[in-house]
Amino acid sequence: MKVPFATLEHVHGPLREEMKNAFLRVYDKGTFIQGEECSLFENEFAEFCKSEHAVGVASGLDALALALRALGVSKSDEVILPSNTFVATALAVSMIGAKVVLVDPDPLTYNMTAESFEEAITPRTKAVIPVHLYGQAAEIEEIVDVARRYGIRVVEDCAQAHGALYRGKHVGTFGDIGCFSFYPGKNLGALGDGGATITDDEALAERMRELANYGSKVKYHHVEKGMNSRLDELQAALLRVKLRCLDEHIADRQRAAAVYLENIRNDRVTLPVVGSERNHVWHIFAVRCSRRDELKRHLEEAGVGVNCHYPITIADQQAYVEDGLVATPLARRLASEELSLPLYVGMTDDELRYVIDTINEFE
Ligand SMILES: *Cc1c(COP(=O)(O)O)cnc(C)c1O
């Protein structure tokens, strides 16, 4: 049997006609940038997250960079983020010339804690980027409390966590700005790159919209040196179709994850833990194993697709050598022990059973 690491077959198959109609609607209308579809998607996505405003942008990385810029983060400011996140979280900080400060995550949930964040604060700390990694909320309310005490701005990296909740409230709505990616493989994915920021602050939303549009609100009047980062009409129209199914898709991921959690039984394999007062939308089902590379080979030889998120920490990346960052101990350990199991919408009981049996046989 073969089980892919991920497939969009069961998401896109049933939506084929609707997606085609969305495409044709945009194609026939002939507006491809800054039209009605993007505004409608922004309203619908803000409503989904229970936020006041959403701004569609070109990618998750741009969303983070625009959020930092809109909050006034600039050169020589320090920005704290978890050392085990995807490199884009750090790249956004580097893009605007600020300094990356890495902290170790919680060993159970793999997310930044309020404690590790507070320990890393210096007089130069301007912002913090908690990441809701793998699809589970960090202890975001506690992190925001610490940030408010020190006058530090909070940008939430929600790229893996559309629909994730902490104490019943959507991630992205706790801090100043929430940032999302619609990369095709994310839980809500476009058919190309895309992203969005959400905020309750109208002035911040306007500022990000302007920065993403060459620093301009009125055509050919540029009040700031902005960039070009917009969510195009085609992606917005396609995302509107998929957004309507997002809750159903999250529930299906949760179904598959529950089967894993209940049936994987191998002392060599550490299962993920869901922290209290939150759900998990299972963008990634991350297990740990001290003999990770052997387990990876064992699964791949049996036809099971797996992945590592992420095999090299940010501090250990060649791109970051010049920054002189130090990899925190747990992040390094996760880099060598983490293994992501197949998890996608429409995974069958047979597929789940096969992955489970293959893991349980590993000795
Ligand atoms: C995917 C991802 C990003 C970047 O999003 P893109 O749309 O690919 O630019 C940022 N942070 C995290 C945690 C991600 O997983």
Side-chain angles (χ1 to χ4, degrees), residues 71-208:
L71 290 168
V73 180
S74 64
K75 270 199 178 62
S76 77
D77 289 333
E78 293 179 1
V79 180
I80 298 172
L81 52 111
S83 51
N84 57 320
T85 181
F86 179 55
V87 71
T89 318
L91 289 177
V93 176
S94 305
M95 260 168 82
I96 60 168
K99 187 169 174 276
V100 173
V101 176
L102 300 172
V103 298
D104 242 347
D106 172 69
L108 287 178
T109 62
Y110 311 137
N111 272 328
M112 174 194 275
T113 63
E115 196 186 342
S116 61
F117 158 46
E118 187 163 9
E119 280 168 11
I121 293 172
T122 77
R124 286 163 66 180
T125 307
K126 179 82 187 220
V128 60
I129 313 182
V131 181
H132 305 295
L133 199 68
Y134 301 152
Q136 160 166 231
E139 50 178 28
I140 187 66
E141 216 160 49
E142 288 79 352
I143 291 169
V144 170
D145 281 347
V146 171
R148 297 285 178 253
R149 260 198 281 129
Y150 288 84
I152 292 168
R153 310 311 294 263
V154 182
V155 173
E156 295 176 60
D157 185 338
C158 311
Q160 304 189 355
H162 319 68
L165 308 171
Y166 189 65
R167 298 189 177 133
K169 193 165 137 68
H170 277 262
V171 297
T173 62
F174 291 85
D176 296 289
I177 300 172
C179 297
F180 292 82
S181 162
F182 305 125
Y183 173 79
K186 299 286 157 82
N187 283 15
L188 175 61
L191 304 195
D193 278 315
T197 61
I198 61 171
T199 181
D200 285 340
D201 183 326
E202 190 172 357
L204 273 181
E206 276 314 302
R207 180 104 205 275
M208 289 188 283

